[in-house]
Amino acid sequence: MSQLERVTDWHTTAHDLVLRFRGATLTLTPLAGDLIRLRVASDGATAPSTGAVVWDREPVAPQVTEHAGGLTLAAGRVRVEIALAPLRLSWYEGDRLFAQDEAILAAPDRVVLRRAMPPDEHYYGFGEKTGYLDKRGRRLEMWATDEGNHTPSADPLYQSIPFFLALRDGRAHGLFVDCGARSVFDMGSLDPADAYTVEVFSPVLDAYVFAGPRMADIVRRYAELTGRMELPPLWSLGFHQCRWSYFPEAKVREVARNFREREIPCDAIWLDIDYMDGYRVFTWDRERFPDPEGLVADLGRDGFRVVTIVDPGVKQDEQYAVYREGVEKGYFITQPDGSLTVGEVWPGASVFPDFQRASVRAWWGDLYREAYYDKGVAGVWNDMNEPANWLGNAAGEKTLPHDALQGESGERVPHAAVHNLYGFNMARATYEGWKRHRPGLRPFILTRSGYAGIQRYAAVWMGDNHSWWEHILAHMTMCAGMGLSGVPFVGTDVGGFNANPNGELVARWIAIGALTPFFRMHTAWGTRDQEPWSFGPEVEAICRKYIRLRYRLLPYVYTLMEEAARTGLPAMRPLVLEHQEDPETWHISDQVLIGRDLLAAPVYQPGVTRRLVYLPAGAWYDFWTGERLAGGRYVVAEAPLDVIPLYVRAGAALPMGPEMSHTGAVPMETLTLHVYAGEGDFTLYEDEGEGYGYQRGVFARTRITVQPDRVTVSLPEGGYTPTWRRVELLLHGFAGDLALDGTPVRDASGVAGARRLVVERQGGFTVTASR
Ligand code: GLC
């Protein structure tokens, strides 16, 4: 490798500062006042576009000045001091030096960036990774892999999101390295280290530097750069029941019946691979499922939706239409000699569509129509799309050969150059097909593999975890890490996929699952039954309690998902995202925030019934008892099996709806608002829950303002008329006599020590407390 040592000459263009080296070029392009693109390419080198970046705003013109020793590039709040020989880039936000590039090395096949690593800097994000929240000291690889053993050092897993935030002294910056090939982030794995390295196995390094300093601003900017998720349909935020696999159809009906008879809410039942005819995607096993339309319609009448799995591996079978058509049209990935790249997955010998190509994506997206959409299937589950291939390749990886060819004709590149994009482009094909064939319905697509920007196309679950206590902790760290990496709609297999859980584990997992954006129970082939009622009456009651709580919290969850769709801020947040100036939060992996206001601290060890909980500064209320607690300290939370320690920030208004068996069961007639005395506000978002009316103004926002002695609920604003006609206030921490718009009113006692007051109006009032 040769180091980019001496700048031989430089120039500016309208948008760029271009530095020339012997054999390579470095380009700096300010995109916004806090975002700069940094590209390094060996002469003549190109890399295929990943499709991750959707930034469409005019770049900012760079101000470049020359002085003794170097150049200064300024744009908005960012300044880059560039030493020309030897090359060194020092990045400033205002007066804060936030990063220093000490060396850049380039070779025909890779580029390495070496950045100073201050001893007190912490690293977050990187998508789906094992281990604790702060990734300092880890070596993290981006190479989509079907890894079924998520032990602490297991890396890489299914997702490749080469983005992280660095936090030092409470101030953050970010780095996104856009690369569809393998990349490695060595965040000081050889301790002590004074630098970290980013290595891309591509002749081009294409990086984006985010100046911060607020983590939330970086996450929002990153979401602007790589796109945001679409607002999901309301039903997809309900509870999902899955297993590998429910069949035949009588079994599916039995599972559904149990939910209704046992009065446990549920919106969706999932069909794993065994619904297919010999694992041929886009087919049905007509013995197990003689009448899919009928089944889906019957379940639909009972409020259940059906989601089916679709893998990329297409069975090599001359009698199978999908295979034949794909071969005829040349849609499958081939070897350099032109022969089909054949691997092995569930159907046996299989071939793999080349989703890099628009024509293949269009074909694939259309296949869903007859097989699923016309039959009423409500959602799609894309799995095995790293892609998994049990035959393995010459490098010993269970994926495709590196030299298999992908891409449009004339632009074909080896699989290795685009490996990390396979799941992303499969989900994209599915999403684009959905848009063509179900124009009135919001997409619900779940994927296992993905790349930066995957949030535009699909929700993501964390793949094959285990029924291990450690994986309740991993549930939090992985979902929070994904949220920081632009992907808000995430969840894990609740109860664990591999291995058999006991009831205690399920009771603990369901509680945090109920607070997670994507909430699905799922388990592997051959494991014991894993439905909410499979572990005896006590655990069934706990599952019922938390699944019901989830449904009651839907107004809050839905509002957070709308915020995520609009801004990129995730619903499930690590504490550090909201409290980055508080060093105590920098390492908290075992608590999460749901939005800004709800803090969850699950028990994730067997036999344990109390735990330490850190409450950030300010005051908090125990959700269950209503007790007001001072923050900025640790408290010991009592957590018997049926209690997840849960706290609400003073000044919060937590909206809740009615109990229901599924999201379409009952309209919300009463809006319940738990209000916690303090300073704050919350704006409830509501719409039809499905379709695109919201994009034309058919939504409502209701603002609730909280002060220590008063609550104001605005009239809903917008083109949607909420279904609720009254507000049930549950006032926590409000003392003295109450008045409604100045007129004294009497309250009753409510749950968790709250004072209950029902106002028969659709907002537009203020309640005051005299003390
Ligand atoms: C993979 C998936 C898992 C699924 C199984 C069978 O292991 O990750 O969720 O149940 O394949 O399709």
Side-chain angles (χ1 to χ4, degrees), residues 390-576:
W390 305 327
L391 275 188
N393 61 18
E397 301 155 341
K398 298 268 182 265
T399 191
L400 301 185
H402 289 191
D403 62 349
L405 289 174
Q406 286 197 252
E408 309 286 355
S409 72
E411 305 169 13
R412 305 193 84 192
V413 293
H415 172 72
V418 290
H419 172 76
N420 288 337
L421 309 177
Y422 196 81
F424 173 86
N425 280 319
M426 181 190 191
R428 178 175 174 189
T430 306
Y431 171 89
E432 289 169 348
W434 183 298
K435 289 293 199 175
R436 287 193 299 278
H437 297 299
R438 320 189 104 172
L441 295 177
R442 301 181 195 172
F444 176 70
I445 298 161
L446 182 75
T447 183
R448 190 169 74 178
S449 189
Y451 179 70
I454 187 62
Q455 65 272 10
R456 306 203 299 265
Y457 306 126
V460 176
W461 99 106
M462 302 300 108
D464 299 348
N465 59 5
H466 274 74
S467 299
W468 292 336
W469 286 91
E470 290 80 354
H471 282 184
I472 300 182
L473 178 60
H475 175 106
M476 290 181 272
T477 52
M478 284 193 187
C479 291
M482 287 291 282
L484 288 175
S485 311
V487 190
F489 201 2
V490 288
T492 69
D493 289 344
V494 170
F497 176 75
N498 291 303
N500 291 318
N502 62 21
E504 186 192 359
L505 178 87
V506 169
R508 292 303 189 187
W509 207 322
I510 199 95
I512 185 65
L515 300 167
T516 304
F518 177 57
F519 182 23
R520 185 187 73 161
M521 262 198 163
H522 181 42
T523 185
W525 182 266
T527 61
R528 63 175 291 179
D529 287 352
Q530 199 168 310
E531 290 81 36
W533 53 84
S534 307
F535 303 87
E538 188 192 5
V539 174
E540 178 178 339
I542 293 170
C543 289
R544 183 182 294 108
K545 168 179 166 174
Y546 283 101
I547 298 174
R548 285 184 178 179
L549 175 66
R550 163 54 166 250
Y551 278 79
R552 291 216 61 194
L553 278 172
L554 278 173
Y556 184 61
V557 174
Y558 194 58
T559 297
L560 294 176
M561 294 309 272
E562 190 276 335
E563 181 185 27
R566 187 166 33 83
T567 72
L569 268 193
M572 183 170 265
R573 306 174 185 171
L575 268 59
V576 66

Side-chain angles (χ1 to χ4, degrees), residues 139-371:
R139 178 185 179 279
L140 301 164
E141 194 173 329
M142 301 297 164
W143 183 258
T145 299
D146 176 7
E147 169 58 69
N149 241 335
H150 306 176
T151 52
S153 61
D155 187 78
L157 302 184
Y158 321 88
Q159 293 276 322
S160 314
I161 309 190
F163 169 68
F164 68 91
L165 299 102
L167 182 67
R168 187 181 180 209
D169 264 344
R171 288 177 298 177
H173 67 273
L175 183 69
F176 168 49
V177 179
D178 191 10
C179 176
R182 187 191 307 272
S183 62
V184 176
F185 294 74
D186 192 326
M187 310 311 287
S189 66
L190 292 177
D191 184 54
D194 55 9
Y196 64 80
T197 56
V198 176
E199 180 165 18
V200 292
F201 288 79
S202 159
V204 179
L205 172 85
D206 193 358
Y208 295 80
V209 178
F210 299 74
R214 305 278 327 147
M215 289 175 80
D217 291 337
I218 297 170
V219 172
R220 278 188 284 253
R221 261 282 189 256
Y222 172 77
E224 203 179 338
L225 187 71
T226 61
R228 303 183 189 93
M229 72 163 184
E230 248 190 53
L231 186 58
L234 181 63
W235 69 265
S236 69
L237 298 174
F239 179 68
H240 302 256
Q241 181 67 43
C242 190
R243 94 154 284 138
W244 173 19
S245 302
Y246 291 127
F247 71 87
E249 72 152 66
K251 178 69 193 177
V252 180
R253 290 178 193 273
E254 180 198 315
V255 172
R257 193 172 56 245
N258 265 284
F259 274 100
R260 295 299 178 250
E261 280 174 11
R262 294 170 190 270
E263 302 188 339
I264 299 172
C266 181
D267 264 78
I269 301 197
W270 291 50
L271 300 182
D272 205 330
I273 48 176
D274 299 284
Y275 77 84
M276 293 182 246
D277 171 17
Y279 305 129
R280 290 170 186 83
V281 286
F282 306 104
T283 70
W284 292 78
D285 180 321
R286 291 293 174 166
E287 265 172 41
R288 292 169 176 174
F289 294 91
D291 175 19
E293 294 91 326
L295 173 68
V296 169
D298 288 350
L299 291 173
R301 273 187 286 280
D302 220 0
F304 290 99
R305 285 171 161 92
V306 172
V307 180
T308 48
I309 196 169
V310 178
D311 293 341
V314 171
K315 187 176 177 70
Q316 204 175 23
D317 168 6
E318 295 295 344
Q319 308 306 311
Y320 170 35
V322 176
Y323 174 76
R324 272 205 323 268
E325 191 186 352
V327 169
E328 251 161 53
K329 305 214 164 121
Y331 287 158
F332 298 122
I333 296 177
T334 52
Q335 291 305 109
D337 67 4
S339 64
L340 285 171
T341 301
V342 181
E344 196 177 307
V345 265
W346 303 119
S350 302
V351 292
F352 299 86
D354 180 8
F355 296 117
Q356 286 289 120
R357 287 184 262 155
S359 54
V360 180
R361 287 198 299 272
W363 171 62
W364 192 262
D366 288 348
L367 288 172
Y368 290 92
R369 181 177 183 159
E370 208 190 307

